[in-house]
Amino acid sequence: LLGEVEGHVLLLCQLLIFTCARPSAILQLEWSQVDFDHNLIFLNKPGRSQNKKVRPTVKMAPSLRAILEPLKGEGPVVSFEGRAVKSVKTAWRKARSRAGLPADVTLYSFRHTMGRWMRSQGVPDLEIKGMLGHRTLGVTERYAEFSPDFMAKAVEAIERFWNPVAIQVEALQSQK
C-alpha cells in the first residue's frame, strides 16, 4: 500500500504510523506543534479543547524525525502546493485499489494496526493508551511526557515495524 502513495499522502501515512493519531489530527497538524528540541509532537493544537477524542502528546521516533526535519517549515505539516490538505479520499481510494486492498482498509487502519502491533511487541498498556489518546489512568500520567523514557517502548516498537517497511517503500518508490 505504501508503495502506491507518494508526496503528501505518503507523509500522511508515515505520520499516522508513527503517531498512531486519527487522520483528522494529522491533517490539522502544524509545524508549531512539532518540537524537535524535545522530540515531541503535540497533536492537540494550542487553544483547541480536548474532547472525547483525545489528541495526546507523543514522542517522535528517530525515523520520523529523519523524515520531518528536512521538510520543516511553517503552517500545515501535510500540505500540497503550499496549502493545507483537507482530504485525501480520492488519492487514498486509488492507491488502495492499485494495492488490491478492500474498501474496509481506511486511514484508520494504520491506527488499529499500530495499536495491535504495540500490544504484540509487549508495549505496556499505559504507553499504548498514551499513544492512542485513550482515557488517562490518573494524575501521574500527566507528567509521563517529562520522563526520559516517555513512551520509549512504544517508539521502539514502532521503529521495529517501520524499518522493514521503509526498505520496501524506498524500493517501490525508486521504481517509479
Side-chain angles (χ1 to χ4, degrees):
L1 175 62
L2 292 177
E4 296 298 336
V5 295
E6 54 190 26
H8 66 283
V9 182
L10 177 59
L11 179 60
L12 170 64
C13 294
Q14 291 167 324
L15 284 160
L16 290 170
I17 289 169
F18 282 107
T19 65
C20 305
R22 293 173 183 88
S24 58
I26 298 302
L27 289 173
Q28 295 169 8
L29 184 67
E30 296 199 3
W31 285 109
S32 61
Q33 295 168 249
V34 180
D35 181 350
F36 287 102
D37 292 334
H38 300 98
N39 290 317
L40 297 173
I41 297 177
F42 301 92
L43 293 171
N44 198 47
K45 190 180 293 189
R48 178 190 173 273
S49 297
Q50 287 280 15
N51 56 25
K52 286 184 179 182
K53 304 288 186 181
V54 173
R55 293 185 180 183
T57 297
V58 296
K59 185 84 171 171
M60 188 178 352
S63 295
L64 180 58
R65 183 183 177 105
I67 292 166
L68 292 179
E69 215 156 22
L71 305 174
K72 187 177 179 180
E74 292 183 15
V77 175
V78 178
S79 63
F80 182 72
E81 297 180 348
R83 293 193 310 266
V85 175
K86 296 193 186 320
S87 173
V88 296
K89 287 180 184 174
T90 301
W92 178 257
R93 195 170 42 248
K94 289 178 180 179
R96 184 181 60 214
S97 177
R98 286 191 303 271
L101 296 171
D104 64 349
V105 175
T106 68
L107 291 171
Y108 268 86
S109 297
F110 291 112
R111 181 175 166 81
H112 300 150
T113 298
M114 297 314 299
R116 289 183 181 116
W117 172 260
M118 288 185 288
R119 170 76 61 162
S120 76
Q121 296 296 296
V123 174
D125 287 346
L126 179 63
E127 289 192 34
I128 295 171
K129 287 178 182 181
M131 287 294 293
L132 296 173
H134 290 161
R135 292 213 161 264
T136 61
L137 299 178
V139 176
T140 54
E141 189 175 338
R142 290 183 191 172
Y143 304 102
E145 68 188 69
F146 300 105
S147 170
D149 61 349
F150 172 61
M151 294 187 183
K153 294 206 181 301
V155 168
E156 289 169 11
I158 292 169
E159 284 282 325
R160 285 192 301 274
F161 177 89
W162 179 251
N163 290 333
V165 171
I167 293 167
Q168 292 179 10
V169 170
E170 287 175 27
L172 291 168
Q173 293 289 332
S174 68
Q175 294 174 359
K176 288 186 176 182

